[in-house]
Amino acid sequence: MARNMALDTSNITKNEAVEIACNTLAAIREKSPLVLNFTNTVVQPITANLLLAIGASPAMLSDGSEAEDMLRICANALLINVGTLSRAQSEEMEKAVAAAAKNSVPWVLDPVAVGLLGLRTNFVKKILAAGTPPALVRGNASEILATAGYEAKTRGAESTCGSESAIEAGKQLARKTGGAVLVTGETDFVTDGDKIAALGNGDIMMTRVTGVGCAMGALSAACVAVAETPFAGGVASALIMGIAGNIAAERCRGSGSFAVELLDAMYNLSESDIHSRAIVRE
Amino acid sequence: MARNMALDTSNITKNEAVEIACNTLAAIREKSPLVLNFTNTVVQPITANLLLAIGASPAMLSDGSEAEDMLRICANALLINVGTLSRAQSEEMEKAVAAAAKNSVPWVLDPVAVGLLGLRTNFVKKILAAGTPPALVRGNASEILATAGYEAKTRGAESTCGSESAIEAGKQLARKTGGAVLVTGETDFVTDGDKIAALGNGDIMMTRVTGVGCAMGALSAACVAVAETPFAGGVASALIMGIAGNIAAERCRGSGSFAVELLDAMYNLSESDIHSRAIVRE
Amino acid sequence: MARNMALDTSNITKNEAVEIACNTLAAIREKSPLVLNFTNTVVQPITANLLLAIGASPAMLSDGSEAEDMLRICANALLINVGTLSRAQSEEMEKAVAAAAKNSVPWVLDPVAVGLLGLRTNFVKKILAAGTPPALVRGNASEILATAGYEAKTRGAESTCGSESAIEAGKQLARKTGGAVLVTGETDFVTDGDKIAALGNGDIMMTRVTGVGCAMGALSAACVAVAETPFAGGVASALIMGIAGNIAAERCRGSGSFAVELLDAMYNLSESDIHSRAIVRE
């Protein structure tokens, strides 16, 4: 089975992954990296609240020239999420990506529904072709396949195939960008084009609250801002998000309380939670 | 009293209404209809979360050409809510409505504050005059009166008159569109221009959380996507929303926890809840 | 210490401040003032929900001509918050501010990140120079310093200096506008250019949920709509918000539940809570 093959491919041990996640969590809380988000309007509140819960500092702007100001002065990472892209927004995002490159601020791409919808698919091609590539790309299998140039189909923001089906595409994409790729799904895969980590935390409830995946893109930007490598940032964000999701799923009574518990779990997340709960497919 | 007359006008029995709601709930959970929402920015999170809680699949876009992509490929219903309408957004919405018609996807209109504010009042006239009419219109009494061409006054998003005052206007509007009209208020009325259903669930707390009414418009789009008729979709959405509201009101400690409990109640809603709690004015 | 000097400067007694807050709370619940918000997209839900929780009536629009309609017909206060300002939005806001002046509707300015980012800094200069000044300006120390024309630095939406450092700037700004200025921070200061009130409620958890400060700007607009003076409105909003924050902080288990508890506390806030909890630095 494709899935089991993938499960055998982790090139880091559980101990290594846990250490990465613990160090990244501590660094976020110590440094409070400022993550500038150009993201879709649906998920702005949960994205900002998740970053605040973990100890990072969120900022959201509409205007590209203001993004240039912020990326020059104080931003530590930039997130580009194309979930509700408009032609006007795509122009502001281009300015932001160029300013990130100019100021050596790492940026993360979340190619929501790329492959399904035309405007964003062309936009993502364009920003990947021009200038500095993203430190990390986060998407579900369909989105990573499409972003890497494969044929793929998505249905709205959902993937119609398992995350393991995009491992090869993720590797190719990571080699092309020189950064990392995080394929999210029942198992989350992180690759830098060479190494792979397969991380098994998380819960199906995470798909019943809008913006959990998008907020994970923002979390991965915070992780990339403080981690030694984009690969380490991706591993940390998948473990931190998945473990907080597991804790919240145990405590919730439905999808409304799940969203509240997820933020509380993130706020209270300890290194001991990471040690005792991390699932790394070695 | 106008109100009591209205209460006598239901043309379906409680048993029929309950069966419609149970069947619609089961169909949403089985088919997970994809509802594309062009809605106001204030209520996007609760709208998406309510659709996810009930088992539907929400999508939100800004760009009209992307809406055309999605309506051609995978959307099962379209919601147009004019709550924060801009000239630019109205153009994208027109593309979406045309694409819905072209692809035989039913659409729902939520004419927020129509009759009070000029831009949206003109826009709603325009999309009702051109092309395929909406399968369902959801609004409070003031909005339905104004959408049907009557003089009416709204105060912000609130109605200044009881829902029963818009029954005749709702009937006329439904005859004109060939679809159904849902007038929400203390009693919710659904009509297809001929039959009327008067549904009495719901709680005053639903007016203390932003977007509950707008999210109900999206819920009615999900119901219309799977129900046999727009009238059945309207009946189902009024009962499902009202009963979830009753459950949440019993459990909350204020308006903050009401919003959480509403999503939990929607997530856990059972056919037995519908049977035991439905209030149908026969 | 600068801080202690400030603490000695309150020109109203605790009893006076408490009476103002109790009267304002009662008036909001009785009159349900309609607050029209042109605010940033991140905080729209919590802003609307906080206004609903306290008993006010929120409205949010995108289009300036619709704002003119609403300010002519039914709005009792206008909030201008520049958190996600775009060039397009700034034009609509100018129309709204002009319409507020024309219809004698008081307006409140929340100069988010002014001083750090160029577009909004120029926009705020422009609307302060033209026409009717705001009844109240709410900001953290950095924002008030920059709005008053001092050099200041902000980091994202956070202030990098204590609220007491902006008292003199706040006084000058209030003399210039003829209204009041509310400097928020660990201690909140309100001034009308002459009198100062120093209010000590609130909790650090309020900085871990996005939009609490921005929602406080909207709350202050509701207070200004019903209070005898902008200064009284500012005092009331600082006490109401701070006390609700104290209650929520005692009950929450993290930043997710804090947001829920904050709305519940606001919904249930009593005059007796204000009497027993108010902290006024006399």
Side-chain angles (χ1 to χ4, degrees), chain B residues 41-42 45 83-87 116-120 155-156 158 205 207-210 253-258 260, chain C residues 31-34 44-45 48-49 52-53 55 57 60-63 65-66 69-70 73 76 260-261 263-264 267-268:
Chain B
T41 49
V42 188
T84 53
L85 195 72
S86 64
R87 271 161 230 280
L116 178 70
L117 305 172
L119 179 67
R120 65 191 64 194
R155 178 172 179 271
E158 295 165 57
M205 286 303 292
T207 65
R208 299 298 287 273
V209 173
T210 197
R253 301 173 311 281
S255 57
S257 49
F258 178 78
V260 176
Chain C
K31 299 178 184 173
S32 191
L34 196 157
Q44 288 185 333
N49 282 329
L52 287 167
S57 188
M60 301 199 183
L61 301 174
S62 295
D63 183 73
S65 73
E66 292 202 332
D69 294 340
M70 187 169 272
I73 301 171
N76 302 112
V260 176
E261 296 289 351
L263 292 172
D264 278 359
Y267 181 85
N268 293 304

Side-chain angles (χ1 to χ4, degrees), chain A residues 41-42 45 83-87 116-121 154-156 158 205 207-210 253-258 260, chain B residues 31-34 44-45 48-49 52-55 57 60-63 65-66 69-70 73-74 76 260-261 263-264 267-268:
Chain A
T41 49
V42 189
T84 53
L85 195 72
S86 64
R87 271 161 229 280
L116 177 70
L117 304 173
L119 180 67
R120 65 192 63 194
T121 302
T154 58
R155 176 173 180 272
E158 295 165 57
M205 286 304 291
T207 65
R208 299 298 287 271
V209 173
T210 196
R253 301 171 311 280
S255 57
S257 49
F258 178 79
V260 176
Chain B
K31 298 179 183 173
S32 192
L34 195 157
Q44 287 184 334
N49 281 330
L52 287 167
I54 196 71
S57 187
M60 300 197 183
L61 300 174
S62 294
D63 184 72
S65 74
E66 292 202 332
D69 294 341
M70 187 169 274
I73 301 170
C74 56
N76 302 111
V260 176
E261 295 290 351
L263 293 172
D264 279 358
Y267 181 84
N268 292 305

Side-chain angles (χ1 to χ4, degrees), chain A residues 197-226:
Chain A
L199 309 160
N201 292 97
D203 190 277
I204 190 73
M205 286 304 291
M206 296 164 85
T207 65
R208 299 298 287 271
V209 173
T210 196
V212 171
C214 294
M216 188 175 172
L219 174 63
S220 72
C223 291
V224 163
V226 300

Side-chain angles (χ1 to χ4, degrees), chain C residues 36-39 61-72 75 77-80 89-108 123 127 132:
Chain C
L36 173 55
N37 303 275
F38 273 70
T39 191
L61 301 174
S62 295
D63 183 73
S65 73
E66 292 202 332
E68 289 165 354
D69 294 340
M70 187 169 272
L71 287 156
R72 193 181 63 244
L78 170 68
L79 171 71
I80 298 290
Q89 193 193 27
S90 72
E91 290 172 21
E92 309 303 320
M93 285 178 171
E94 283 181 62
K95 289 179 203 166
V97 169
K102 191 177 168 188
N103 295 284
S104 305
V105 174
W107 69 285
V108 168
F123 172 71
I127 51 167
T132 310

Side-chain angles (χ1 to χ4, degrees), chain C residues 104 106 114-115 132 134 194 215 220 246 259:
Chain C
S104 305
V114 160
T132 310
D194 176 26
S220 71
N246 290 140

Side-chain angles (χ1 to χ4, degrees), chain C residues 38-180:
Chain C
F38 273 70
T39 191
N40 73 74
T41 48
V42 189
V43 306
Q44 288 185 333
I46 193 174
T47 300
N49 282 329
L50 193 93
L51 288 170
L52 287 167
I54 196 72
S57 188
M60 301 199 183
L61 301 174
S62 295
D63 183 73
S65 73
E66 292 202 332
E68 289 165 354
D69 294 340
M70 187 169 272
L71 287 156
R72 193 181 63 244
I73 301 171
C74 56
N76 302 112
L78 170 68
L79 171 71
I80 298 290
N81 172 308
V82 298
T84 53
L85 195 71
S86 63
R87 271 162 229 279
Q89 193 193 27
S90 72
E91 290 172 21
E92 309 303 320
M93 285 178 171
E94 283 181 62
K95 289 179 203 166
V97 169
K102 191 177 168 188
N103 295 284
S104 305
V105 174
W107 69 285
V108 168
L109 173 66
D110 195 331
V112 180
V114 160
L116 177 71
L117 304 173
L119 179 67
R120 64 191 66 195
T121 302
N122 292 331
F123 172 71
V124 162
K125 264 186 207 158
K126 190 177 171 191
I127 51 167
L128 286 177
T132 310
L136 188 135
V137 182
R138 185 212 76 88
N140 62 32
S142 299
E143 292 159 354
I144 296 301
L145 284 162
T147 303
Y150 290 67
E151 289 283 321
K153 274 171 100 171
T154 58
R155 177 173 180 272
E158 295 165 56
S159 183
T160 49
C161 45
S163 50
E164 63 282 358
S165 66
I167 294 178
E168 279 312 304
K171 273 185 156 182
Q172 284 195 12
L173 181 58
R175 280 185 210 124
K176 200 170 130 192
T177 61

Side-chain angles (χ1 to χ4, degrees), chain A residues 6 15 21 24 27 35 46-48 55 73 80 101 122 144 166 186 204-205 214 226 233 244 280:
Chain A
N15 282 348
T24 304
V35 179
I46 193 174
T47 299
I73 302 171
I80 298 290
N122 291 331
I144 296 302
E186 202 179 316
I204 190 73
M205 286 304 291
C214 294
V226 300
V280 182

